[in-house]
Amino acid sequence: MNVQMLMFIATMVIMLGMVVMAFAGPNVSKASSRRLTAVKLRHSDSDAALVEKQMRKAVAAQRPRNAKSGSRTEKLILRLQQTGKVISIQKYMAICGGLFAFVFLGLMAKGAPLIFSLLLGGIIGFGLPHLVVGKMITRRINKFTARFPDALELLVRGLKSGLPIGETLAVVAKEVPGPVGEEFKRVTEKIKIGHAMEDALQEVAERLGTAEFQFFVITLAIQRETGGNLAETLGNLADVLRKRAQMKLKIKAMSSESKASAYIVGSLPFFVFGIVYWMNPEYLSGFFSEDRLIIAGMGGLIWMSIGGFIMAKMVNFEI
């Protein structure tokens, strides 16, 4: 069987899968359950149903508006803003293009095949900056999450002393260092120029993308709908977030051995291939020129990707 026939079969399988996914209807049981819940909340007069209705309304109102909308450029701009650094999209694309040109020209100068040079240049040129930006975002989010309960406790002390919520936000922006103070400073600045507090907080929540800050925004919205002691509510939220952080650390410690094994098993074939190719390029040059070896290499990459995805899901625990 030649390469053209294999490519035709793979294309047909992909197209068949796309047709099945396109014509697959929604889950009937889930849709019926949502309708029954909506009818129950609409016609029930109990206190629990009214509270649940107000909570659902507040959560829907505070749901990020840009989660599934927006172009790729807007998503990239948002991703660069999440780093906390001043990085323009032009600078980011220039770095990607420079890395791609450097790797591609370097491999071509060493006599590497064109397909391999393009593939490796694209992976390093566009994948490496993406990974670096992701690491910067993760580091900043972790710092924010670690100090956020302290900010909530400072808010609680300010509210108990009689300060309004707007002034307590300004106190947090001034007293808490790091990303927490920076984000609360943005909130207070938007409030000063006329933005509503809910809108300012929701903009920060959409930019951060963390569940902890979204909990805070939804808590304020529910408190405005239902009333009650805001200081006590925020104090309970701070306690929940601290326990959530402790549980994350416990899960991280328990799954560290499995993650290390997954990283080693997943990266070892690529590491060995790169070392062998660097030492003896002629030995592996057939993977870039012969049809059968190209098909075998692509199949190996697909299976390695599936295995890496499964291992990542097995060792990744969400709270």
Side-chain angles (χ1 to χ4, degrees):
M1 186 179 292
N2 55 16
V3 180
Q4 289 80 5
M5 183 60 68
L6 289 174
M7 293 181 64
F8 176 76
I9 294 174
T11 304
M12 293 300 297
V13 171
I14 294 173
M15 291 179 63
L16 180 61
M18 294 176 64
V19 170
V20 172
M21 293 177 63
F23 288 96
N27 193 318
V28 179
S29 61
K30 290 184 179 180
S32 301
S33 178
R34 286 195 296 267
R35 287 196 295 269
L36 289 175
T37 303
V39 171
K40 182 184 70 174
L41 295 177
R42 188 181 303 118
H43 298 285
S44 179
D45 295 330
S46 64
D47 295 337
L50 292 176
V51 171
E52 185 177 355
K53 182 179 179 181
Q54 291 174 340
M55 183 178 296
R56 288 176 178 269
K57 181 180 177 181
V59 170
Q62 299 299 325
R63 187 172 296 158
R65 294 183 289 271
N66 298 328
K68 296 184 180 179
S69 63
S71 63
R72 293 182 180 273
T73 304
E74 293 175 352
K75 293 179 180 179
L76 179 58
I77 293 174
L78 177 61
R79 183 176 172 84
L80 294 177
Q81 290 176 351
Q82 290 176 343
T83 61
K85 308 292 184 182
V86 182
I87 304 175
S88 64
I89 189 171
Q90 293 81 7
K91 183 179 179 181
Y92 178 80
M93 295 307 297
I95 293 174
C96 293
L99 283 175
F100 171 77
F102 177 78
V103 175
F104 175 74
L105 295 177
L107 290 175
M108 291 297 293
K110 284 184 170 293
L114 178 62
I115 298 177
F116 178 72
S117 301
L118 287 173
L119 181 62
L120 190 59
I123 292 175
I124 296 179
F126 296 95
L128 184 60
H130 182 81
L131 291 177
V132 171
V133 170
K135 289 292 184 181
M136 294 172 65
I137 294 174
T138 303
R139 189 181 301 114
R140 188 170 187 268
I141 293 301
N142 290 337
K143 290 181 180 179
F144 181 92
T145 304
R147 300 302 300 269
F148 189 53
D150 298 334
L152 290 180
E153 292 180 352
L154 185 58
L155 279 173
V156 171
R157 291 194 293 269
L159 291 173
K160 287 183 177 180
S161 64
L163 292 176
I165 183 65
E167 293 187 12
T168 53
L169 292 177
V171 171
V172 172
K174 185 184 298 184
E175 297 296 333
V176 180
V180 176
E182 296 173 0
E183 297 299 336
F184 275 91
K185 184 178 180 181
R186 290 191 177 96
V187 173
T188 55
E189 289 176 351
K190 289 182 178 295
I191 293 175
K192 288 179 181 178
I193 62 177
H195 287 251
M197 185 181 67
E198 292 82 1
D199 294 337
L201 289 171
Q202 185 60 33
E203 289 181 8
V204 173
E206 291 176 3
R207 184 171 60 253
L208 286 174
T210 61
E212 286 78 7
F213 196 84
Q214 192 67 36
F215 291 158
F216 171 65
V217 177
I218 293 174
T219 299
L220 290 180
I222 294 175
Q223 195 275 338
R224 285 180 176 271
E225 291 285 340
T226 61
N229 191 345
L230 180 58
E232 183 179 356
T233 303
L234 293 180
N236 294 334
L237 178 60
D239 184 62
V240 170
L241 294 183
R242 289 190 183 279
K243 292 180 179 179
R244 176 185 171 90
Q246 293 175 359
M247 183 61 66
K248 283 185 176 181
L249 293 176
K250 184 177 180 180
I251 291 176
K252 183 178 179 180
M254 294 176 64
S255 62
S256 59
E257 182 179 357
S258 300
K259 287 184 178 180
S261 301
Y263 292 151
I264 294 172
V265 172
S267 61
L268 189 59
F270 302 98
F271 178 76
V272 173
F273 186 91
I275 293 296
V276 174
Y277 184 80
W278 183 265
M279 296 175 63
N280 189 3
E282 291 80 9
Y283 182 74
L284 298 176
S285 60
F287 281 97
F288 308 101
S289 58
E290 298 183 13
D291 294 339
R292 290 178 296 178
L293 290 179
I294 290 174
I295 295 173
M298 294 300 295
L301 285 175
I302 292 173
W303 283 113
M304 284 295 301
S305 301
I306 295 173
F309 177 77
I310 293 174
M311 287 190 293
K313 289 295 183 182
M314 290 176 63
V315 300
N316 186 22
F317 302 94
E318 295 291 339
I319 301 177

